[in-house]
Amino acid sequence: GAGVSQTPSNKVTEKGKYVELRCDPISGHTALYWYRQSLGQGPEFLIYFQGTGAADDSGLPNDRFFAVRPEGSVSTLKIQRTERGDSAVYLCASSLIRGVRNTEAFFGQGTRLTVV
Amino acid sequence: AQTVTQSQPEMSVQEAETVTLSCTYDTSESDYYLFWYKQPPSRQMILVIRQEAYKQQNATENRFSVNFQKAAKSFSLKISDSQLGDAAMYFCAYRSRETSGSRLTFGEGTQLTVNP
């Protein structure tokens, strides 16, 4: 696609529910990143995929958070037993990696998650 | 671990004037990238300018330029001839060049207001 697409744009869920956030990266981009941005803060890294595998998941805050990228393209961030503290904007970015060169990261418009 | 600090939560500038946004960072690495991103209310992070640490020459993109002081670990953004469309949140970010696919580390952001 022309850019990184994230759906839904906004999501309101009740505490304790399960949510899935989707990211459709730029076609051909091998690297995909998830970031979380709390109100008034800079984005914080969650997880990085190179192809289908999670190359770095050290930013996931706890085991309620999980992400997949089964075919090396679309990724889904899954949050179980949501808590009010999970409320934030979840940003996805993609880039093209060739060897040790990593091109610019392109971001989507994010999903604003509100847990009530 | 790398850290990025933006000490100015808010800045304002008159239209057509020049403004400088400050950023400092901490790292033990010698090879890295530094970025300035703009985030308008649409939430999408837009790359403004990029600097490679091994390059001594300061990067310039039209009205945007940086003052990169590697020894001082300082990376400020200068916006010349400010326009109303420049109003946004600006984030300074660091990325290691020593490993491919490495994450972006963001500062806390500076909210820029442009007054007509």
Side-chain angles (χ1 to χ4, degrees), chain A residues 9 33 35 37 42-43 45 48 56 58 97 99 102 104 107 109-110 112, chain B residues 37 39 42-45 47 50 91 95 100-104 106-108:
Chain A
S9 179
Y33 304 81
Y35 292 85
Q37 186 176 19
F45 170 79
Y48 152 59
D56 182 357
S58 61
I97 293 180
N102 189 349
E104 171 191 346
F107 282 81
Q109 291 187 303
R112 182 182 297 281
Chain B
Y37 280 89
Q39 187 179 41
S42 68
R43 301 196 304 243
Q44 186 169 20
M45 301 285 271
L47 180 64
R50 166 174 125 163
F91 290 97
R95 194 182 85 203
S100 65
S102 58
R103 66 183 74 174
L104 287 162
F106 290 88
E108 307 93 332

Side-chain angles (χ1 to χ4, degrees), chain B residues 1-22:
Chain B
Q2 296 81 27
T3 59
V4 177
T5 302
Q6 294 177 249
S7 58
Q8 306 155 315
E10 298 176 348
M11 291 284 283
S12 63
V13 63
Q14 291 297 125
E15 196 175 4
E17 297 293 308
T18 296
V19 65
T20 299
L21 308 184
S22 301

